[in-house]
Amino acid sequence: AIGPAGAAALGKLLETNTGLEKLFMNENPIGAEGAKALAAGLGKNKGLTTLWMSSCGMGDEGATSLAGALAKTGAKSLEVLDIWNNSIGPTGAQAIATALENNHRLRTLELRLNPVGDAGAAAFAALMPKNVPLTTLDLISTGISDSGRQVLQ
């Protein structure tokens, strides 16, 4: 398994590599520290289109770091971000939604099995009218109540 140190090495690679298009990191225990390191590289990367980081234990802290990368010019090539089952709550969801206001490339965001709740739903509902190109937003099993679902409709 790849841990935080391995994620840091991959983050350094992402800073300069333009040939890598897809990175699958699912089920590697990188935690928030590893997510931060990957995000630092992603913020400078110009070629990665797909990043899968499901079940990596990043939490809100790691999600907020990824959000910072999504808002940067370098990460504008990313089209698919799969971060389900990472203990991302409302704080991380709101950071990602805010970052996507200025990201005009991401098409798919997988957030299932993260406890984003109604506050996360509200953040994504506010994002939708801003003409972002997001075509798939997976919020299955995210603790959104009936009132949160109404906000998304």
Side-chain angles (χ1 to χ4, degrees), residues 41-65:
L42 182 62
K44 297 176 183 176
N45 185 277
K46 293 181 176 36
L48 196 68
T49 61
T50 303
L51 179 57
W52 286 13
M53 295 178 62
S54 298
S55 302
C56 290
M58 73 177 70
D60 281 334
E61 188 178 352
T64 300
S65 295

Side-chain angles (χ1 to χ4, degrees), residues 28-103:
N28 283 294
I30 64 169
E33 180 185 341
K36 282 182 189 180
L38 279 173
L42 182 62
K44 297 176 183 176
N45 185 277
K46 293 181 176 36
L48 196 68
T49 61
T50 303
L51 179 57
W52 286 13
M53 295 178 62
S54 298
S55 302
C56 290
M58 73 177 70
D60 281 334
E61 188 178 352
T64 300
S65 295
L66 281 176
L70 289 172
K72 291 183 180 176
T73 305
K76 300 285 183 178
S77 63
L78 197 65
E79 296 175 5
V80 176
L81 180 59
D82 184 332
I83 50 175
W84 63 275
N85 193 30
N86 269 297
S87 300
I88 298 168
T91 301
Q94 290 169 340
I96 290 169
T98 300
L100 290 179
E101 291 178 12
N102 297 313
N103 182 302

Side-chain angles (χ1 to χ4, degrees), residues 117-140:
D118 291 347
F124 287 109
L127 173 69
M128 295 306 156
K130 296 181 179 176
N131 197 27
V132 292
L134 201 61
T135 58
T136 303
L137 176 61
D138 183 347
L139 293 172
I140 295 170

Side-chain angles (χ1 to χ4, degrees), residues 12-24:
K12 288 287 185 195
L13 175 70
L14 286 175
E15 289 181 13
T16 56
N17 184 296
T18 57
L20 185 65
E21 294 178 1
K22 297 179 181 182
L23 179 58
F24 299 91

